[in-house]
Amino acid sequence: MNLDGETYTRVDEDTETGTKEYGTVYVTQAKEYYGFNTLENQTLTIGTSNNVVNYNYERSKHNVYFYLNGGTYNGSTEDLVVSAYYQEQITIGSAERTGYNFEGWRFREESEFIVMPVTYDISQPYTMGIYDATFSASFTRKPFTVTFNPNGGSVTTTSKTVYYDLTYGDLPTPVRTGYDFKWWWENN
């Protein structure tokens, strides 16, 4: 089967020839091809003319899982599953998440071996193999710089790096002669 999932391209024939008695029941042997579903053997009864058995092999189809980890991908906020035929190429883009930087996709292909996830290079299309594949979005919180204006006083540090959706932690206490410090306020 071709990658469109509907058409077949004829390839070199595997031909078996031989002589069998008329009326003999013969079981043909389907071949196994990497990336294609194994077909069941066919049984035929030898007749008076040439007997021909055709096998059309279908490409194996597998799932590609996208785990978004709170982000969005292709307009979806839900984890996605895409099915693809063996050797089909899939373009993988970037995921997004408010307040976070996209670090890439952690990739793992299911197989009989345990494979540690690796970061996938999205500049290259993914070519479907013979196992399911998993892409997990990886994000890091965006850093922001908070600048402290002591408004005529002095402060031990004038800025601090904070991260999206986390508390600022301890803030410096400004000193100004003749004044008591009450609180910081946000001025965008």
Side-chain angles (χ1 to χ4, degrees), residues 38-182:
T38 303
L39 300 173
E40 291 188 26
N41 297 326
Q42 294 184 27
T43 303
L44 66 108
T45 302
I46 303 300
T48 57
S49 61
N50 291 337
N51 293 275
V52 177
V53 175
N54 291 315
Y55 285 105
N56 291 320
Y57 291 86
E58 294 187 1
R59 287 179 186 271
S60 58
K61 196 170 196 178
H62 304 281
N63 291 326
V64 180
Y65 299 92
F66 293 92
Y67 294 105
L68 305 183
N69 296 321
T72 59
Y73 179 63
N74 284 347
S76 177
T77 57
E78 300 292 323
D79 293 339
L80 303 169
V81 179
V82 175
S83 293
Y85 289 109
Y86 167 68
Q87 293 183 325
E88 186 174 346
Q89 291 193 333
I90 301 169
T91 301
I92 310 292
S94 297
E96 297 176 345
R97 185 174 175 186
T98 301
Y100 290 77
N101 292 315
F102 177 66
E103 296 297 318
W105 292 102
R106 300 290 289 164
F107 168 75
R108 187 168 59 95
E109 191 172 70
E110 305 294 329
S111 71
E112 66 272 17
F113 304 105
I114 297 174
V115 180
M116 295 302 293
V118 297
T119 302
Y120 191 80
D121 178 5
I122 62 173
S123 69
Q124 301 297 317
Y126 172 69
T127 301
M128 189 73 233
I130 61 169
Y131 301 105
D132 289 348
T134 301
F135 289 86
S136 297
S138 179
F139 299 98
T140 56
R141 294 176 193 272
K142 287 185 178 182
F144 297 93
T145 302
V146 176
T147 303
F148 303 106
N149 177 356
N151 200 18
S154 63
V155 68
T156 56
T157 182
T158 58
S159 66
K160 181 178 184 174
T161 300
V162 297
Y163 293 89
Y164 178 78
D165 208 28
L166 293 178
T167 61
Y168 286 14
D170 294 333
L171 302 178
T173 302
V175 175
R176 183 172 176 190
T177 305
Y179 292 86
D180 291 328
F181 176 70
K182 294 291 185 190

